Structures are given as C-alpha cells and as structure tokens.
Amino acid sequence: MSPALTIRPYSEGALSQAAGKLRAGELVAFPTETVYGLGADATNADAVAGIYAAKQRPSFNPLISHFPDRDAAAAHATFDARADKLAAAFWPGALTLVLPKRSDSTVCELTTAGLPSIAVRVPAHPMARELLRAVGRPVAAPSANQSGRISPTTAGHVAHSLGNAIGMILDGGPCGVGLESTVIDLTTDRVVMLRPGGITKEQVAQVLGTEVIMAETDDSAPKSPGMLTSHYAPGLPVRLEATAPDKAKYGHEILLGFGDCVTKGFDAVLWLSKSGDDVEAAANLFARLHEADQKRFDGIAIAPIPDTGLGLAINDRMKRASAPRAPHPSP
C-alpha cells in the first residue's frame, strides 16, 4: 500500500524528518531553485529504483546526483581544470556537470545508468543544500513529476502529479528559476552541452574561453548519456526472451532470471528478482550484468520480463545491450 502523502512547510523538524526518510531509502520531494526534485539516496539502488517506479519513467536515463558543495561532489566525480572553473563560476546554481565517476564512488550504478560518468550538481536553494548536508549522502533527484508531464515548480504541482506515490514533500514555496539545470559534458576534450537550461551556452563559453558544442541528435553523438542504441553493452553477447538453453546454437550461457522462469540447463543463474518484482529487478540490473560478464561463458541470456511497470525500462536497456555493436569511429 502506498504511504499517505505528507506536505510539510520548512522547519527544522520537517528537514530532519525528510533527511531521515532519505537515509532510510524512502522518496522525498524537495525544492531547488530550478524545479522540485524527487530525491532518493543515490547510493541505494532500491531507493533509486523507487524513483523510476514513482515517475513511471520509461527508461533508465542517468540521474543527477545532488551535493551540498563542490568538495562533496569531488568525492564521487573527477574534476579537471574546466570543471573547477565552471563550479567556481556557477555553483551553487543551475548547472550540472557530467564528469568521470571516481572508482571509489559509492553512488550506485542505477543512478548513473551503468555509465563510467556521473552527473553532479550543487543546487542554489538554501533548503536543498541544508537537506543535502543533513542526509550526508549524494541524493539522486530528477524532476518530481510523472515522466513526460510538466515539471513542477510548487509543492502543489508535485502532489497533483505524483500523489501517494511518494511519502513526503518538503515545501519551500515556488521555485525561482522554473527551468531545469543546464547539463555540460566534460568527459572528453570537447565541451558539450547536453541540455540547455538555467545557464546559457554563452556564459559557459565565456568562463572557459572555448567553444561549447551542442549535442548532436543522431545516434553517433547522443544528446545525453545512454542514448546510443548499443549502449550498456557487456563484452558478452546478450540474448533476450530466453525460455530455454540451446547449447548447440548459443553455447555456454549464464541466465539473468526473473520470476517463474526456466533455469534448468543454463550454466549458471543470477537473479534479477526471484519473486518477479520489477522494482527489485531494476535495482539489480546493472550489477547483475557486470557479474554475468565473465569469460567462462559464451553469452548472457535474459529471462522474459513483462513490458509493464519498470519492466518496460528494463527491456529497453536489455535491447540496447543486445543490439549489434556500433563500429568505433575512425581516429
């Protein structure tokens, strides 16, 4: 049963309650200067899976991890001179930086959609930063609305869109900017704007003294991390809708199991969810893919997963993982 929604105006008690809920793996909507975010502990895969369930998000796009300051973000992301310049100029503020993820980061793979990069931001809203300091962990937070709906700039918008899908909204009044953060990718030598927002292309270019490239819309240079057709692909080939082993055709396979699937005859089994729970399967997805990607197998078989709830997003990622590998571009 979904929890009854609580909307609490700012107070020390409300902030403490919200921080406790986030640390306990629950979802809390909170204000930033851009829009209201739907927060979850970014280190807790089950909690992050809850974001996708509440938003009815169709695919596992990378989520932005929020921090109270630059040093907290630097514990999870590798900053270069460009990142430091932008952070000094625009943080706290409406700028998200996509940077290489540190190997010792505790942010879960569902937050980063299995990518080696991490999207980080320090919001300008004082209540948001106070909440982040109280939580003491990175908080993943997309906009607090059902996927595809208008982004929320008041607590009432959040309640109307998500209702009892979440347990608490921390009410900080209307958002000042009302437009999502600008997303800048610094994972290569180029400076690429993945999403325009509260900070302009010209402002970024002026600070860095270099050209800012707008992300292409075709498959060879996706707008945002994870949009390539053959993304999320392990080294082994992936077979979908596997209902039985076929060693003559597919060789030695490890099965990623879901619910009441056939496991007999496969060389090994790792479970996404034995009970057939789509939220549990989403939380386990990227970790199980990494575990399955072993040289002693010829391939990874995926049990059938219904195209309902988060199953739709899981199947989307598995289709990308099983797609023919795109050739590497010429140097």
Side-chain angles (χ1 to χ4, degrees):
M1 181 179 294
S2 299
L5 174 62
T6 299
I7 302 176
R8 293 200 61 182
Y10 173 77
S11 68
E12 288 188 8
L15 194 93
S16 178
Q17 181 186 10
K21 283 180 175 292
L22 286 167
R23 286 194 298 269
E26 298 180 45
L27 303 182
V28 173
F30 64 95
T32 75
E33 77 282 14
T34 57
V35 298
Y36 272 72
L38 180 57
D41 178 355
T43 69
N44 182 334
D46 291 324
V48 174
I51 288 178
Y52 289 99
K55 285 178 65 70
Q56 301 177 31
R57 199 174 177 107
S59 60
F60 296 133
N61 297 316
L63 301 177
I64 297 170
S65 294
H66 293 69
F67 300 88
D69 52 53
R70 181 263 179 206
D71 288 346
H76 297 270
T78 301
F79 281 67
D80 61 12
R82 301 172 302 169
D84 279 329
K85 285 182 180 179
L86 291 177
F90 300 116
W91 279 359
L95 179 71
T96 294
L97 299 176
V98 178
L99 303 172
K101 183 182 178 183
R102 287 175 53 116
S103 60
D104 58 349
S105 171
T106 55
V107 169
C108 70
E109 290 195 319
L110 190 57
T111 300
T112 60
L115 297 171
S117 57
I118 181 171
V120 297
R121 181 164 102 87
V122 176
H125 199 296
M127 188 186 301
R129 292 203 309 283
E130 190 174 350
L131 175 64
L132 293 166
R133 282 191 289 269
V135 174
R137 301 170 191 168
V139 173
S143 58
N145 57 285
Q146 284 191 12
S147 187
R149 302 290 179 87
I150 299 171
S151 295
T153 57
T154 68
H157 293 161
V158 179
H160 178 73
S161 185
L162 296 178
N164 289 340
I166 59 176
M168 182 177 179
I169 302 171
L170 191 60
D171 188 354
C175 299
V177 176
L179 182 68
E180 286 87 350
S181 63
T182 297
V183 181
I184 298 292
D185 182 0
L186 297 177
T187 57
T188 69
D189 291 338
R190 304 190 309 165
V191 179
V192 181
M193 180 174 283
L194 300 179
R195 182 180 75 186
I199 305 297
T200 69
K201 177 182 175 182
E202 290 74 20
Q203 287 175 299
V204 173
Q206 184 176 17
V207 168
L208 295 182
T210 189
E211 180 186 12
V212 176
I213 300 167
M214 293 300 297
E216 301 288 341
T217 56
D218 65 8
D219 196 46
S220 63
K223 261 188 186 174
S224 61
M227 294 304 294
L228 283 171
T229 301
S230 182
H231 226 86
Y232 312 93
L236 294 177
V238 174
R239 178 166 70 99
L240 305 180
E241 300 287 335
T243 57
D246 185 347
K247 292 188 181 297
K249 186 174 182 180
Y250 298 108
H252 298 284
E253 288 184 310
I254 181 170
L255 175 72
L256 295 191
F258 180 87
D260 188 21
C261 64
V262 175
T263 61
K264 186 176 181 179
F266 287 99
D267 291 82
V269 180
L270 289 173
W271 286 96
L272 294 173
S273 173
K274 281 188 176 182
S275 64
D277 183 278
D278 58 342
V279 176
E280 180 185 19
N284 288 331
L285 179 60
F286 293 109
R288 295 294 182 268
L289 273 176
H290 279 294
E291 290 176 51
D293 198 17
Q294 301 177 39
K295 291 182 179 178
R296 63 192 181 98
F297 301 113
D298 297 314
I300 301 170
I302 312 294
I305 300 171
D307 245 351
T308 56
L310 289 185
L312 187 66
I314 295 169
N315 287 329
D316 170 75
R317 283 300 172 262
M318 293 299 92
K319 287 173 185 174
R320 294 178 190 273
S322 65
R325 306 295 194 263
H328 292 289
S330 300

